[in-house]
Amino acid sequence: MVIEVDSAADPRIADYTRLRDTDLRKALESEQGLFLAEGEKVIRRALATGHPLRSLLTTRKWLPSFADLPADAPVYVVSDAVMENITGFQVHRGALASMGRLPLPAVQDLLGPARRVLVLEDLVDHGNVGAIFRCAAALGVDAVVLSPRCADPLYRRAVKVSMGAVFAIPYARMADWYGGLADLRRAGFQTLALTPDQNAPAIDKIPLADRVALLLGSEGDGLSSHWLAEADHGVSIPMSPNAMALGVDSLNVVAAAAIACHALLR
Amino acid sequence: MVIEVDSAADPRIADYTRLRDTDLRKALESEQGLFLAEGEKVIRRALATGHPLRSLLTTRKWLPSFADLPADAPVYVVSDAVMENITGFQVHRGALASMGRLPLPAVQDLLGPARRVLVLEDLVDHGNVGAIFRCAAALGVDAVVLSPRCADPLYRRAVKVSMGAVFAIPYARMADWYGGLADLRRAGFQTLALTPDQNAPAIDKIPLADRVALLLGSEGDGLSSHWLAEADHGVSIPMSPNAMALGVDSLNVVAAAAIACHALLR
């Protein structure tokens, strides 16, 4: 159902407007149970994993790419100028889709057959969350568990940076931060807390159990002392002896996650 | 020299205005030989590595942090509202410095004592360049060589994401892309081209020479076929056998750089 829309103020495209306002979008997306996927490949991955299409927003040039989409969802066609007016940026590969969220599993159900799990504590940057999901998919992680306050993997930037991996890797959100590691322990996971402390054993040297959960902390402060204490072992990524003198006391969380996931794949 | 400025239009703070316009800033920064550093820690690292201070822009709240700066450079003090009007975003730790660039060394001079070098071909994203410099500093890389078209490490976002590592790791820019690897070969470097091709030997298994240069390609297309052919070996990061089925055919360049630098540190 193709519908021409000639103004950014048209209420039919309200799902897409004011994309630049992060706070507004967070509220809109979580309260209304929607999220936005950008670009044909990512949109198709979201559809293939069962997410219902609310509508598509595209330009005349890109319309033919989407001729085979479910016929019951409205396809709003706008000019390039209206598209940029709505979004405030060039839309990657000319299309945005508004899609419905699926219910998340409970942590204990998520863990079922998983052998390698990432646990993200309070990451605030959506790009980092998306990049970590991409690493997880590339490097054999089976599932991701989020702390209650961790940034949303379906926020637009996270979806984009993940290249759609947020649809491919199952994830769940803990109901409770303080006791959040109990489900992992009950399921027999070895819990490894990644720390910049260079006295902790190196992640590529520590013996791995059959089921391993790697805990990653937030961008500024790293893991909470509570989770560090709760974990079976602290593990580190060895840094160059010269790093401190260069003013660098840690890796960024995506780099650390990549090295750690690679080490878990051995 | 503290100077109160009450309008974003004041010509004395022209170095800082229109920060949101990427194209304009690129031209301004490279033509006038300036760059911007954000936040006290990063500004101090830039000063400590000999970059001349043109001026500082801050708010009254943060002014005391900078009481010890070189007295000859103007310190412009603005209200929070003017600061946000100028920059369009919240400034990290309340200060921006406009600084002068230093001349870059020639590639052959840069290589002098280096044993581990990264070579970046045409990366376009300033955040990625900054994150790779941070990895390089943390993981024992001695120097970075940029292709002629690679994004500028002193662009504001690169400086910020690097946490100042762009001042700590020496770098140079090739004059010529086509023959750009010749200096490395002449200096006796083993050249390793990172490729998503899973048939290439794994980077953590390949025997390393005393001097190793790791080549990293651009975000979309990876390394050019010319550089892939010129390199001594292609090397890969093993991905999960399941990754393709999940729609992920590669790691992002920062994740790949992190894993590769970690492997070079062994």
Side-chain angles (χ1 to χ4, degrees), chain A residues 201-226:
Chain A
I203 183 151
D204 43 10
K205 299 290 192 309
I206 200 164
L208 299 177
D210 182 50
R211 309 188 87 182
V212 180
L214 180 79
L215 319 184
L216 293 169
S218 70
E219 292 87 353
D221 299 325
L223 284 167
S224 63
S225 54
H226 174 57

Side-chain angles (χ1 to χ4, degrees), chain B residues 146-164:
Chain B
L146 309 175
S147 73
R149 295 195 300 185
C150 188
D152 177 11
L154 294 189
Y155 187 75
R156 192 187 65 90
R157 182 160 165 74
V159 171
K160 182 179 178 183
V161 171
S162 84
M163 308 276 277

Side-chain angles (χ1 to χ4, degrees), chain A residues 10-195:
Chain A
D10 191 309
R12 290 173 297 183
I13 58 173
D15 281 4
Y16 304 97
T17 47
R18 299 216 266 169
L19 280 175
R20 276 173 284 193
D21 186 329
T22 309
D23 292 333
L24 183 79
R25 287 229 62 90
K26 280 187 198 160
L28 180 71
E29 294 185 9
S30 55
E31 280 163 22
Q32 304 205 358
L34 64 87
F35 69 94
L36 296 185
E38 182 174 350
E40 183 183 353
K41 187 181 162 195
V42 168
I43 292 169
R44 289 190 185 280
R45 294 214 70 83
L47 286 170
T49 45
H51 295 82
L53 182 64
R54 289 162 59 102
S55 69
L56 185 82
L57 179 73
T58 189
T59 56
R60 185 139 305 280
K61 177 182 163 201
W62 290 97
L63 184 58
S65 313
F66 297 99
D68 63 326
L69 287 196
D72 53 339
V75 175
Y76 299 114
V77 179
V78 296
S79 66
D80 290 343
V82 170
M83 181 66 107
E84 198 158 334
N85 186 350
I86 291 171
T87 60
F89 46 81
Q90 254 203 314
V91 171
H92 184 64
R93 302 193 69 78
L96 282 165
S98 175
M99 312 195 70
R101 290 172 184 251
L102 302 175
L104 291 182
V107 172
Q108 57 183 22
D109 297 331
L110 176 83
L111 297 177
R115 294 185 55 239
R116 295 287 179 267
V117 170
L118 292 184
V119 187
L120 308 184
E121 189 186 33
D122 296 6
L123 268 70
V124 299
D125 184 282
H126 292 97
N128 286 343
V129 170
I132 289 172
F133 269 80
R134 183 172 169 191
C135 284
L139 297 172
V141 170
D142 302 308
V144 176
V145 178
L146 309 176
S147 73
R149 294 195 301 185
C150 187
D152 177 11
L154 294 190
Y155 187 76
R156 192 188 66 89
R157 182 160 165 75
V159 171
K160 182 178 178 184
V161 171
S162 84
M163 309 276 276
V166 291
F167 309 124
I169 299 287
Y171 68 93
R173 194 179 284 276
M174 295 172 175
D176 164 44
W177 165 76
Y178 191 84
L181 301 181
D183 281 327
L184 291 155
R185 189 146 333 135
R186 210 173 293 126
F189 277 84
Q190 177 189 33
T191 50
L192 303 180
L194 197 66
T195 161

Side-chain angles (χ1 to χ4, degrees), chain B residues 208-230:
Chain B
L208 299 177
D210 183 49
R211 310 189 87 181
V212 180
L214 180 79
L215 319 184
L216 292 169
S218 70
E219 292 87 352
D221 299 326
L223 284 167
S224 64
S225 55
H226 173 58
W227 276 21
L228 270 173
E230 286 272 300

Side-chain angles (χ1 to χ4, degrees), chain B residues 118-129:
Chain B
L118 291 184
V119 187
L120 308 185
E121 188 186 33
D122 296 5
L123 267 69
V124 299
D125 183 282
H126 292 98
N128 286 342
V129 170

Side-chain angles (χ1 to χ4, degrees), chain B residues 18-36:
Chain B
R18 298 215 267 171
L19 279 175
R20 276 172 285 194
D21 187 330
T22 310
D23 291 335
L24 183 79
R25 287 229 61 92
K26 280 188 200 161
L28 181 70
E29 294 185 10
S30 55
E31 280 163 22
Q32 304 205 358
L34 64 89
F35 69 94
L36 295 185

Side-chain angles (χ1 to χ4, degrees), chain B residues 62-94:
Chain B
W62 290 97
L63 185 58
S65 313
F66 298 99
D68 63 326
L69 287 195
D72 54 339
V75 174
Y76 299 114
V77 178
V78 296
S79 65
D80 291 343
V82 170
M83 182 66 108
E84 197 157 335
N85 186 353
I86 290 170
T87 60
F89 46 82
Q90 253 204 310
V91 171
H92 184 63
R93 302 194 69 78

